[in-house]
Amino acid sequence: MTDPRLEGTDIADSVLDLIGDTPVVRMKRISELEGIDCVLALKAESTNPGGSSKDRPALEMILAAERDGQLKPGGTIVEPTSGNTGVGLAIVAAQRGYKCVFVMTDKVAPEKISLLKAYGAEVIVCPVAVEPDDPQSYYSVAERLTNELGAFRPNQYDNPHNPKAHELTTGPELWQQTAGRITHFVAGAGTCGSITGVARYLKSMNPDIKIIAADPEGSVFSGGSGRPYLVEGVGEDFFPAAWEPDLLDDIIAISDEESFLTARYVSESEGILIGGSGGMAVAAAIKVAKAADPDDIVVVFNPDSGRGYLSRVFDDDWMANFGFIRECEQCVGAVLDARNASIENLLYVNPAQLVSEAIDLMRTNGVSQLPVCKNTPPFAAAEVSGAVDELELMEAIHGDPGVLSTPVDKAMGPKLPTIGVGQKLERAVEMLESAPALLVLSGGRPLSVLTRTDVLTYFSATAAALNGADNG
Ligand SMILES: Cc1ncc(COP(=O)(O)O)c(C=O)c1O
């Protein structure tokens, strides 16, 4: 019951009363810059107390667990979460006296981990590069801890109160805030709680409203096989319980590069700081809005703030190293361009290929190193698991000729250091002092291997050209 002394004031009874009722703001500058005629607006979920849309399901899931006795006073909550759900749960737990333990992968931005700890939660970090059924995977670790601690596991991927939260709050807010005139809703999907909950409500009010999912390239929702990508919080390698494709009118796959560059573009041109997944959703929304009628109202769901991604999306060095931005036009890429065109761009071996095959490939192509990559091109940077090196293989085979017939992943060395295609050549030179070769990334994907010989050849060719120019 609310304290009668608060009656007539604007003082919220607790932080929990501040969850939801987030504003919707027109993206006026982007609309001008992109030549968009309809109304394109953004639902600013970063104004929730925990800074993200996940406060809504966190509250709903905990209230439901209290109602049905799964969560008792002083109880513990365990959840595998990439951060935002954790913050929401930690806020609700603080208000209602529960302990929180969060399990997440090492793909998550480090500041998100510090943030959860700041709310008093315990955080356990697990490797991302293992299968979901591996005992080290974050799903398995969360399962084990839940049992050991007799904890409540909200399980946002399977909990019906996750989509319910959005059906009860986000959907009605969008309907009211657009005076029932919303025509398109665009959102990223992770657990699918937000898009499914909102879609259920909006379609119940007007079945003609178009619901469009934005999805990272590689994720299963847009037809991928679950291959890795860098955008956080969205896309999956499995279908969560709230996945309801019948509610979706379209699914648009967006690359990491477009997501990150759009996040920067929106932040700089609108003054609205959004993260990579928000950038992904806006990139899809721009496409939708360009094809919409002038009277349409397209609302894009921005799940959180760019503040959580300052060391990644908004860090020039990080972006340049993945080849998302260029420090200069004629940099590492110029060396690759000048290289003998007959060399196939990315030579690689799969982890299961034999060492003898790797040696054949190196010999045929006259190269001394090969990256070891899972699957087939185009690879994600995370699919590179190591490298084989002529010299190291020679030593290994000298010690044991049997190495020739072992799989590459049993004989490979560490991954080659990476450099972005648009990074300065000085940097490549510095790095090549301690590594025989570098893996060049472009748009977050391995593009080619750069060796000392490549750089030397480039320097001597450009010096010769300069000399020629001087003499002429
Ligand atoms: C950081 C983050 N987490 C999660 C989600 C997905 O929401 P949900 O899990 O409700 O599908 C998004 C959606 O854009 C997001 O950006």
Side-chain angles (χ1 to χ4, degrees), residues 133-220:
D133 55 1
D134 187 298
Q136 278 195 77
S137 83
Y138 81 124
Y139 297 109
S140 310
V141 171
E143 197 71 46
R144 179 173 56 76
L145 285 174
T146 308
N147 296 335
E148 280 174 13
L149 301 170
F152 165 59
R153 168 138 174 231
N155 194 358
Q156 56 169 340
Y157 287 95
D158 209 27
N159 191 324
H161 297 284
N162 169 12
K164 194 77 185 167
H166 293 283
E167 188 177 352
L168 292 174
T169 65
T170 323
E173 287 169 31
L174 285 162
W175 181 256
Q176 266 185 4
Q177 287 167 315
T178 59
R181 289 192 281 119
I182 180 170
T183 55
H184 299 76
F185 176 69
V186 185
T191 65
C192 298
S194 8
I195 198 156
T196 294
V198 169
R200 278 185 202 152
Y201 181 83
L202 291 182
K203 295 248 184 201
S204 77
M205 300 305 283
N206 174 2
D208 292 337
I209 296 173
K210 301 277 181 274
I211 307 293
I212 299 111
D215 196 41
E217 275 178 2
S219 152
V220 292

Side-chain angles (χ1 to χ4, degrees), residues 50-51 83-84 87 90 109-121 123 308:
N84 285 335
V87 171
E111 55 266 42
K112 284 193 172 179
I113 296 172
S114 311
L115 182 62
L116 285 168
K117 289 187 176 165
Y119 281 104
V123 174

Side-chain angles (χ1 to χ4, degrees), residues 52-54 57 82 84-85 112 156-157 162 166 187-196 214 221 231-236 276-278 280-281 301-304 309:
S52 91
S53 54
K54 295 288 187 175
S82 64
N84 285 335
T85 303
K112 284 193 172 179
Q156 56 169 340
Y157 287 95
N162 169 12
H166 293 283
T191 65
C192 298
S194 8
I195 198 156
T196 294
F221 303 137
V231 174
E232 292 172 46
V234 279
E236 286 303 341
S277 59
M280 178 194 73
F301 190 70
N302 178 50
D304 65 0
Y309 309 93

Side-chain angles (χ1 to χ4, degrees), residues 31 39 75 88 91-92 107 119 131 239 273 277 327 337 358 427:
S31 302
V39 172
I91 288 173
V92 184
K107 187 176 101 167
Y119 281 104
E131 299 299 322
F239 293 96
L273 189 65
S277 59
E327 289 170 342
D337 290 344
R427 176 142 177 165

